[in-house]
Amino acid sequence: MIPYGRQSIDQADIEAVVTVLRSDFLTQGPVVPAFEQAFAARVQADFAVASSSATSALHLAYLALGVGPGDRVWTSPNTFVATANAALYCGAEVDFVDIDAQTYNLSAEALAEKLVLAERTGRLPKVVTAVHFAGQSCDMAALAKLAQRYGFALVEDASHAVGADYLQQPVGRCDFSDITVFSFHPVKILTTAEGGLASTQHAELAERMALLRSHGVTRDAEHLLQRNPGGWYYEQQSLGFNYRMTELQAALGLSQLTRLDNFLAARRRLASRYDERLAELPLTLPWQHPQGRSSYHLYPIQVDHRARVYDQLRSAGIGVNVHYIPVHTQPFYQQLGFKPGACPQAERYYQRALSLPLYADLTEADQDVVIAQLQQALTGR
Ligand SMILES: *Cc1c(COP(=O)(O)O)cnc(C)c1O
């Protein structure tokens, strides 16, 4: 099976992990801070807080922004369930804003309309989370204008968008947002097996996330609330979690980070190869907005008779996938009161969506097999 996504691991990655295994620290050592610094430098952020996953990073981000019971977090239905779930972990209410038909990202127009209604009923969101679907940045400038006007915080779920650009700047710089969250799951752009990271320009948000990542406990003399009785002393100041990244993961991440430009170049080359070779087939290609440059975590096309095309490609050993089943249509979210029909663009997109295999180590020969099998499924030739 040619999968839709997979990691790329080389000898240097393996050696980096083995070196940590032979060292003094498997967790809470020097490598996590080194990875955080290197990643922050790469995305031009002032602060980076690594964690056990993007899901935990989203939870930490929402908590740091003060999300709690009675608050509302709005996001795109065209995302993985974790974006919304993490807001529910905080006791907040979730709602969904429909997507743009061309980028499949949260629509600034739909958001503007929904905010007008919410202001009237006194139900404005505390946080809006923009998900950079497939690796293409949302229209952050437009969203930031609305954030200013209505007074909500902006989080970027950049799980797909490690290495992507928006207005010539790296995603993660947080020029238009409070916090940006990344995922290092093996299908994403670079991997730490499991892992995530939150970047921000705000020292207080970074400190809050770092505290909550490790039980709400600090030993930092500068931040103690009570008198320091001696070197053994630590303080629990909040109800935190164990959301730490291990040294093994950070070592893999640091090594992978040196290969990021190669990963991006390979994904972009393969994506433009799909663009060219699929142009004549009866399908909708992904659209790159000129204001940015996607990292191409996914290559999402739209086809008629998607279920048949999906089955036919799967039978031919092509691991196509579907991103995403709109979150509000999941049984769990329907139990919370959401109804199909609430986000018509996302639901229409989902009916025809199909993600083709795309990852750094995908060979052109394998990609040609994908293209030939797709042509067969769509045209019978
Ligand atoms: C993968 C993903 C997540 C969750 O990432 P984990 O690191 O697996 O927790 C969240 N949001 C989006 C959009 C994702 O694609």
Side-chain angles (χ1 to χ4, degrees), residues 53-55 58 79-80 82-83 131 157 159-160 183 185 188 195 324:
S53 65
T55 306
L58 283 161
T79 186
F80 186 56
T83 319
V131 181
D157 183 342
S159 291
H160 299 184
S183 172
H185 183 279
K188 307 286 165 71
Y324 283 99

Side-chain angles (χ1 to χ4, degrees), residues 147-213:
Q148 274 221 315
R149 158 89 171 72
Y150 290 95
F152 57 82
L154 263 178
V155 170
E156 299 176 66
D157 183 342
S159 291
H160 299 184
V162 174
D165 297 321
Y166 173 69
L167 300 179
Q168 267 93 57
Q169 304 293 351
V171 167
R173 233 171 90 111
C174 300
D175 283 338
F176 299 95
S177 69
D178 297 278
I179 298 173
T180 302
V181 168
F182 297 95
S183 172
F184 308 127
H185 183 279
V187 295
K188 307 286 165 71
I189 308 285
L190 68 81
T191 192
T192 61
E194 297 282 358
L197 181 142
S199 68
T200 180
Q201 293 182 354
H202 301 288
E204 329 79 72
L205 292 177
E207 274 165 26
R208 186 104 194 109
M209 291 191 285
L211 186 74
L212 292 170
R213 166 180 64 179

Side-chain angles (χ1 to χ4, degrees), residues 12-295:
D13 292 334
I14 292 166
E15 281 165 18
V17 174
V18 170
T19 300
V20 168
L21 271 172
R22 298 188 198 284
S23 78
D24 290 340
F25 296 101
L26 302 186
T27 187
Q28 295 178 285
V31 188
V32 167
F35 175 57
E36 289 173 334
Q37 272 184 19
F39 195 91
R42 170 72 201 213
V43 302
Q44 298 176 19
D46 290 336
F47 304 97
V49 178
S51 64
S52 53
S53 65
T55 306
S56 61
L58 283 161
H59 189 194
L60 294 172
Y62 294 151
L63 289 172
L65 290 166
V67 172
D71 293 326
R72 280 165 293 275
V73 174
W74 292 4
T75 190
S76 167
N78 189 32
T79 186
F80 186 56
V81 293
T83 319
N85 289 350
L88 297 180
Y89 298 164
C90 306
E93 272 178 48
V94 166
D95 204 356
F96 298 94
V97 182
D98 209 354
I99 62 170
D100 176 83
Q102 271 188 296
T103 61
Y104 318 140
N105 276 334
L106 187 146
S107 157
E109 290 76 37
L111 177 60
E113 282 173 29
K114 200 175 168 73
L115 286 165
V116 170
L117 294 177
E119 190 174 43
R120 255 182 240 156
T121 53
R123 297 178 56 79
L124 285 169
K126 179 154 193 147
V127 172
V128 172
T129 303
V131 181
H132 301 325
F133 179 70
Q136 163 153 258
S137 176
C138 294
D139 187 357
M140 292 307 300
L143 300 183
K145 264 192 207 149
L146 293 169
Q148 274 221 315
R149 158 89 171 72
Y150 290 95
F152 57 82
L154 263 178
V155 170
E156 299 176 66
D157 183 342
S159 291
H160 299 184
V162 174
D165 297 321
Y166 173 69
L167 300 179
Q168 267 93 57
Q169 304 293 351
V171 167
R173 233 171 90 111
C174 300
D175 283 338
F176 299 95
S177 69
D178 297 278
I179 298 173
T180 302
V181 168
F182 297 95
S183 172
F184 308 127
H185 183 279
V187 295
K188 307 286 165 71
I189 308 285
L190 68 81
T191 192
T192 61
E194 297 282 358
L197 181 142
S199 68
T200 180
Q201 293 182 354
H202 301 288
E204 329 79 72
L205 292 177
E207 274 165 26
R208 186 104 194 109
M209 291 191 285
L211 186 74
L212 292 170
R213 166 180 64 179
S214 199
H215 308 284
V217 163
T218 185
R219 289 178 173 277
D220 188 347
E222 267 179 56
H223 291 110
L224 296 179
L225 300 175
Q226 302 183 147
R227 195 184 62 81
N228 186 355
W232 66 88
Y233 187 65
Y234 60 85
E235 270 182 2
Q236 184 186 351
Q237 300 177 340
S238 303
L239 185 60
F241 305 87
N242 182 348
Y243 280 170
R244 292 187 300 258
M245 175 180 276
T246 68
E247 294 282 287
L248 299 166
Q249 292 167 303
L252 181 54
L254 258 179
S255 179
Q256 291 256 304
L257 198 53
T258 67
R259 306 173 60 207
L260 177 57
D261 286 324
N262 293 339
F263 293 161
L264 293 167
R267 284 177 178 275
R268 287 171 178 150
R269 175 178 51 79
L270 291 163
S272 61
R273 220 164 159 268
Y274 272 140
D275 289 346
E276 284 162 26
R277 278 152 218 241
L278 302 178
E280 303 305 320
L281 292 180
L283 51 79
T284 307
L285 293 174
W287 181 67
Q288 172 64 65
H289 195 295
Q291 72 192 358
R293 204 158 54 122
S294 177
S295 54

